[in-house]
Amino acid sequence: MGFLSDFKAFAMKGNVVDMAVGVIIGGAFGKIVTSVVSDIIMPLVGLCVGGVNTSDLKVVLKEAVMEGEEVVQEAVTWNYGAFVQNVIDFLIIALSVFLMVKAINKMTTLNKKEEEATPEPAPEPEPTAEEKLLTEIRDLLKNK
């Protein structure tokens, strides 16, 4: 019973739930960026370089071995077009995360500045020993 309650306490902590939401949204965002790159950006790049599907760009390192119409051994290729697509995906996601973190830091900094701009009034300092003694003398003189 202790294990389950410990696990529940761990899983329901705010940071863990926030992280899970971030991972889910990040996965969905990654799919969107991948679609933008593969369906919008790379076709435009392919059009600019002569109407080539950039995801199919590759260098054949070893030709396929064929027996008649049947492929005995697949070709060995270096698929640099898919690599370029993945690099562009990464750069867009990295830029997006950088801009998001920068915006969050800016908002946090603004909140801290607002808190610092309205400081709480400082408590009045304790009277010094000399002031206390003079106050006592004054009170004694008043009573006479």
Side-chain angles (χ1 to χ4, degrees):
M1 202 59 140
F3 175 78
L4 290 177
S5 62
D6 288 346
F7 179 74
K8 181 180 176 186
F10 167 77
M12 291 304 170
K13 282 186 181 174
N15 293 341
V16 175
V17 174
D18 292 344
M19 185 177 69
V21 169
V23 167
I24 292 167
I25 290 175
F29 180 70
K31 288 180 181 181
I32 291 170
V33 170
T34 300
S35 177
V36 166
V37 170
S38 63
D39 299 332
I40 296 174
I41 294 174
M42 294 312 283
L44 292 175
V45 170
L47 184 63
C48 292
V49 295
V52 178
N53 184 356
T54 53
S55 63
D56 292 338
L57 293 175
K58 59 186 166 193
V59 173
V60 178
L61 302 173
K62 183 179 176 187
E63 293 290 332
V65 176
M66 307 277 290
E67 281 186 17
E69 294 290 321
E70 187 177 328
V71 177
V72 175
Q73 187 177 12
E74 294 286 328
V76 178
T77 59
W78 183 42
N79 301 322
Y80 67 90
F83 175 74
V84 168
Q85 228 172 312
N86 288 329
V87 168
I88 293 172
D89 279 358
F90 169 77
L91 292 175
I92 291 173
I93 290 172
L95 177 66
S96 301
V97 169
F98 170 74
L99 293 174
M100 186 172 56
V101 168
K102 190 171 181 175
I104 290 170
N105 286 341
K106 192 169 193 169
M107 286 189 301
T108 304
T109 304
L110 288 175
N111 288 340
K112 285 183 181 177
K113 285 182 181 178
E114 287 175 5
E115 289 173 4
E116 291 173 0
T118 57
E120 294 180 20
E124 292 192 27
E126 292 272 333
T128 62
E130 186 177 288
E131 289 174 337
K132 289 179 184 177
L133 183 60
L134 287 172
T135 304
E136 287 177 19
I137 294 172
R138 182 195 66 200
D139 293 342
L140 286 173
L141 289 173
K142 272 186 186 177
N143 292 337
K144 280 191 172 184

